[in-house]
Amino acid sequence: MMWRFGLADSTFEPLLTSHWALAIALCLPLVLGGLAAVWPPKRMWVVALACAPLLTSGLLLLVDFTQIGLLRWQGEVLGVSIGLRLNGVSILLLLLTQWLGAASALYTPGLLNVSPPERLARWLWPLMGVVVSALSLVWLATDLITLYLALELMGLAAVGMLLLSGKTPALFASMRYLLLTLVGSLAYLLGVALLLGYWGQVDLAGLAQVVEPGPVTWVAAALIGGGLALKAALFPLHAWLSPVHASAWTPVSALHAGLVVKASLFVLLQLWSILLPDTFWAPRLVAWMGMLAIIWGGLIAWRAESLKTLVASSTVAQLGYLMVVFPLLLGPNVGPLAKALAWEGFWLQLMGHALAKAAMFLAAGNLILATGETTLKGLAGCSRKLPLSLLVFGIASVTLMGLPPSAGFTAKWLLLQAMVISQQWWAVAALLIGTLLTAAYVFRFFRYSFMETAPRHHYQPLSPGMDIIALCLALAAFVLGLLAHFPLELLHGGSL
Amino acid sequence: MIASLDVIEVLLALCLMTTALLCLFDRHLVRACCCFGVFTLSMALAWLTLGAPWLAIAEAIIGALLTVPCFFYALGIFPASSSALPRYDHFKEPLTRGMTRTLLALAWCVMVGTVIRFVLPAMVYSPLEHPLLFVGVVIVATAMGAFAWHRHLLRRLLAFNVMGSGVFLLLAGMAGTSVQGQALITIGLVVAWLGSLLSALLIRTLYLREGPAALLGASEPQESKQ
């Protein structure tokens, strides 16, 4: 499992361009956020121009990675050694973060132009910059201290972004989220304290060499797992997720549901694969919770009154798919083929869901902004005036349902193959039930939207760019399934 | 064994324990916040005795100078405003829910206690050898229980802060005040301060908009006031 997370030694030193690209990828979002707070951009092309260097840095890192393989950086700040690494998974997630962040940033001026002016609106930009920077750091970091710093920065900035819409329910939901995420990080910190006290290591590669199964490791893994599960909204701890999204701004929701939630899941998987390799019960427990999450999230989304609740509850169910894979990634008695397939399927599902969920939130936001209605009943008949937004919603839900040729289909195909090989029939059943439930809640919304008898509303015109960004994200999730061989090759690149 | 006890450490531990309990369970909010101020100052002294002067300075600045004013701002005392929060929290949790939460906190205390047995084997023979570590376990467990018991947002915030300090004590007790440990604690202090600042702003805004009911974190959907 170690090589999968790129914790081995690298063969070559990073190139000079990689150093610069890394610095830009980590620092530029902060700088851009600060600049945008002082001079808030009003037009989309300004944002596009500002994001261009950031996207270039990601592509440069991709090129360097494909040429020389695993990249590692070691440094020391005030006597604390800090390690970064760039392997296949990190580069994919870094690219995803940069493109999703850029898409959310591009969408924002259009949103701020049509919504009533809000006093706190300019704070959105620096917070978004902090979230993108912190996410990039989470994908790259290889020691527990940097991971803690990045997770905390990301969590606090995410809370700040979610409450910016200024509505009272948003403030209540953010307050609850803030307290829970802070307590979750204390659990993580206590787990780290146990590891540091017993093994004396905070570096992941060093920790992997000395750690042995035992009560200390189990309790540390349980504390870290519990804290991160709370931050990642994994099933029994998911209750804060829907209210938080119900009244937040759409680009914020897109970034949060697409990536912020998954960063905690990524750290959880990475740390458990070090602390609990080949344990039987812990991954099983996560998988059972995942099955319940698929069913519960699907049912809640199916009965949802408002569109945002539908989309947010579907996140709970889709995270369930990722939880179900845990025994295949971490458990004992799994063949190498099943393990490799599960590994590929896991990341493809994560990326496909991030893109599709972001597209879905943006499309839902467009529908809500244009009609001024938030409930499914209020949105009845919106197909007459807003066909494009509805089309985007449809393409995104194709990925969520897992119909071919989307990323969701390819990912589920890989996962099903792995589950059949290792004879995990419960997981197969959960996957199939989840697909049916997804179809049920998506088509429930479509039934409302095509109602011809609904009264005609006054529609607020939106700038065409807002629909086009959502369409691009939805198409990206769609095409990722067709071109899946490219990211999958990168995932294997770490094994060389 | 008793002879080898460091008197200063024991006194500090007792001081930490009392102020933490008062801070967590006093229904008079201003008094509870003042107790938190004394608690952070004792924490700073504890860092000094543990041989981490920089951490003591950080704790004194971030804890006493920056975090405590956040609580007074949330209470509406600083800067003085006409709409201060009610001084008392009169809310009573139904007993059955409280019992389950207390049991969970106790189970947690037992779990951490057993693990510390493995990390520091010496603790088994003389649990009072490391009074600060012992107090850390108790503080974290009580604060966890208080966080689960209370509904008042400010009291939950206080409970989080006390729990954070308890976790830092545990960290320092188990891992020593190595550079890594100090780095983790400093990050934790800054995060706790930022979280408290954000929470204080939120509590104040919610109170001004929704009145005293908001302080119990009413999660039922309400009409949004633009």
Side-chain angles (χ1 to χ4, degrees):
Chain A
M1 203 63 187
M2 291 335 301
W3 57 263
R4 289 190 193 278
F5 279 109
L7 295 176
D9 283 329
S10 59
T11 326
F12 299 105
E13 284 288 302
L15 307 173
L16 188 64
T17 50
S18 330
H19 291 309
W20 279 105
L22 178 79
I24 291 176
L26 289 181
C27 302
L28 191 65
L30 295 177
V31 176
L32 289 179
L35 286 178
V38 183
W39 299 286
K42 292 273 187 280
R43 305 242 165 245
M44 215 176 258
W45 63 266
V46 184
V47 181
L49 212 62
C51 288
L54 186 67
L55 301 178
T56 321
S57 75
L59 294 175
L60 267 178
L61 282 175
L62 174 67
V63 170
D64 288 346
F65 173 73
T66 47
Q67 280 175 357
I68 63 176
L70 179 68
L71 303 176
R72 288 187 70 92
W73 290 270
Q74 286 288 344
E76 205 163 285
V77 183
L78 297 175
V80 182
S81 67
I82 286 176
L84 300 177
R85 59 96 171 69
L86 191 77
N87 68 334
V89 177
S90 338
I91 184 69
L92 279 176
L93 292 173
L94 182 71
L95 285 174
L96 187 67
T97 307
Q98 293 183 337
W99 286 90
L100 259 186
S104 312
L106 277 174
Y107 182 90
T108 306
L111 172 78
L112 294 182
N113 285 344
V114 292
S115 54
E118 178 67 42
R119 196 163 48 90
L120 297 170
R122 66 171 61 210
W123 280 92
L124 178 62
W125 298 103
L127 290 173
M128 212 181 235
V130 173
V131 166
V132 171
S133 273
L135 276 169
S136 313
L137 197 57
V138 168
W139 313 133
L140 297 172
T142 58
D143 62 289
L144 293 168
I145 298 177
T146 320
L147 276 176
Y148 177 58
L149 176 71
L151 276 174
E152 289 314 301
L153 274 181
M154 181 190 78
L156 285 174
V159 174
M161 289 203 306
L162 286 164
L163 61 84
L164 278 182
S165 72
K167 294 174 188 150
T168 310
L171 297 190
F172 273 119
S174 305
M175 184 72 213
R176 190 161 160 221
Y177 175 36
L178 178 64
L179 283 176
L180 289 179
T181 189
L182 286 174
V183 169
S185 60
L186 282 186
Y188 171 86
L189 189 63
L190 198 54
V192 172
L194 283 178
L195 293 177
L196 183 63
Y198 199 60
W199 306 108
Q201 288 278 352
V202 283
D203 178 47
L204 292 186
L207 192 64
Q209 281 169 358
V210 294
V211 83
E212 282 166 19
V216 177
T217 325
W218 294 331
V219 172
L223 283 171
I224 289 178
L228 290 175
L230 185 61
K231 283 166 167 281
L234 300 189
F235 169 60
L237 307 172
H238 66 278
W240 55 266
L241 188 69
S242 304
V244 152
H245 284 294
S247 38
W249 277 335
T250 32
V252 174
S253 290
L255 209 54
H256 188 268
L259 289 169
V260 171
V261 173
K262 276 155 199 146
S264 303
L265 189 67
F266 169 82
V267 178
L268 175 63
L269 182 66
Q270 184 173 358
L271 292 184
W272 272 22
S273 69
I274 292 169
L275 298 176
L276 304 172
D278 297 330
T279 35
F280 185 80
W281 288 109
R284 273 313 122 97
L285 186 71
V286 173
W288 291 331
M289 289 300 145
M291 288 173 204
L292 290 177
I294 292 175
I295 293 167
W296 182 250
L299 287 177
I300 295 287
W302 188 35
R303 301 313 315 160
E305 288 286 319
S306 82
L307 185 58
K308 285 256 183 103
T309 313
L310 187 153
V311 183
S313 309
S314 120
T315 307
V316 175
Q318 298 281 326
L319 284 172
Y321 291 125
L322 298 176
M323 292 160 76
V324 164
V325 196
F326 266 57
L328 292 173
L329 292 173
L330 298 174
N333 310 327
V334 181
L337 179 62
K339 218 163 208 170
L341 285 172
W343 176 256
E344 291 174 351
F346 182 87
W347 296 112
L348 201 60
Q349 165 73 19
L350 194 150
M351 288 186 288
H353 175 249
L355 288 169
K357 186 47 61 76
M360 208 173 204
F361 260 120
L362 294 187
N366 284 342
L367 289 172
I368 290 169
L369 262 184
T371 58
E373 297 276 349
T374 54
T375 57
L376 292 186
K377 287 203 175 73
L379 284 165
C382 58
S383 64
R384 284 175 300 213
K385 279 284 179 63
L386 302 160
L388 189 54
S389 299
L390 213 56
L391 174 75
V392 175
F393 198 91
I395 299 175
S397 41
V398 164
T399 306
L400 289 193
M401 279 187 273
L403 302 181
S406 65
F409 170 75
T410 318
K412 274 185 196 159
W413 182 259
L414 293 168
L415 292 181
L416 275 178
Q417 232 175 324
M419 285 163 185
V420 170
I421 290 175
S422 52
Q423 301 189 324
Q424 306 233 345
W425 302 111
W426 283 105
V428 174
L431 222 62
L432 296 179
I433 292 173
T435 309
L436 284 180
L437 276 173
T438 315
Y441 61 73
V442 165
F443 283 116
R444 177 160 171 265
F445 170 62
F446 277 116
R447 214 193 65 202
Y448 276 114
S449 63
F450 286 113
M451 252 179 217
E452 286 298 323
T453 52
R456 284 162 194 278
H457 298 287
H458 166 72
Y459 286 96
Q460 156 105 37
L462 296 180
S463 84
M466 293 164 79
D467 270 327
I468 292 173
I469 294 162
L471 183 65
C472 289
L473 285 178
L475 284 178
F478 203 66
V479 171
L480 190 64
L482 286 174
L483 302 176
H485 61 89
F486 179 65
L488 294 186
E489 266 171 31
L490 279 181
L491 284 178
H492 283 294
S495 68
L496 295 175
Chain B
M1 269 303 147
I2 302 296
S4 70
L5 282 181
D6 192 343
V7 181
I8 299 177
E9 270 196 37
V10 173
L11 280 181
L12 261 180
L14 281 177
C15 181
L16 281 172
M17 196 66 234
T18 5
T19 43
L21 285 178
L22 280 176
C23 171
L24 290 175
F25 294 107
D26 196 343
R27 283 181 182 273
H28 191 285
L29 297 173
V30 182
R31 234 169 20 216
C33 290
C34 293
C35 283
F36 182 75
V38 181
F39 177 75
T40 46
L41 289 177
S42 337
M43 280 292 291
L45 285 180
W47 296 132
L48 263 184
T49 55
L50 288 173
W54 289 107
L55 211 52
I57 295 174
E59 172 84 44
I61 291 177
I62 297 176
L65 283 182
L66 295 176
T67 311
V68 176
C70 290
F71 296 138
F72 285 121
Y73 172 74
L75 279 170
I77 294 177
F78 164 81
S81 72
S82 53
S83 59
L85 260 66
R87 292 285 187 268
Y88 275 95
D89 169 31
H90 292 295
F91 184 78
K92 290 233 170 43
E93 189 76 20
L95 201 62
T96 42
R97 277 178 67 191
M99 285 306 284
T100 47
R101 289 165 184 199
T102 314
L103 282 180
L104 279 177
L106 271 181
W108 190 90
C109 196
V110 170
M111 187 181 80
V112 172
T114 21
V115 176
I116 287 180
R117 222 190 108 229
F118 286 94
V119 179
L120 290 176
M123 279 286 281
V124 187
Y125 306 110
S126 54
L128 293 176
E129 181 79 357
H130 300 274
L132 287 177
L133 190 59
F134 185 76
V135 163
V137 178
V138 181
I139 285 180
V140 176
T142 352
M144 199 103 154
F147 186 83
W149 258 94
H150 298 328
R151 287 273 296 279
H152 195 286
L153 289 176
L154 192 71
R155 296 185 82 191
R156 296 190 93 183
L157 184 61
L158 275 172
F160 155 74
N161 271 293
V162 173
M163 198 191 326
S165 301
V167 169
F168 302 152
L169 269 183
L170 280 180
L171 202 161
M174 286 186 292
T177 41
S178 60
V179 186
Q180 286 114 342
Q182 291 204 28
L184 277 171
I185 293 175
T186 316
I187 297 173
L189 278 172
V190 175
V191 167
W193 168 57
L194 286 176
S196 305
L197 185 63
L198 197 53
S199 306
L201 288 171
L202 273 173
I203 291 173
R204 192 91 198 112
T205 320
L206 282 174
Y207 178 70
L208 289 181
R209 280 195 201 173
E210 298 285 312
L215 296 175
L216 298 177
S219 50
E220 52 263 26
Q222 293 166 342
E223 285 302 308
S224 61
K225 293 179 186 171
Q226 294 294 332

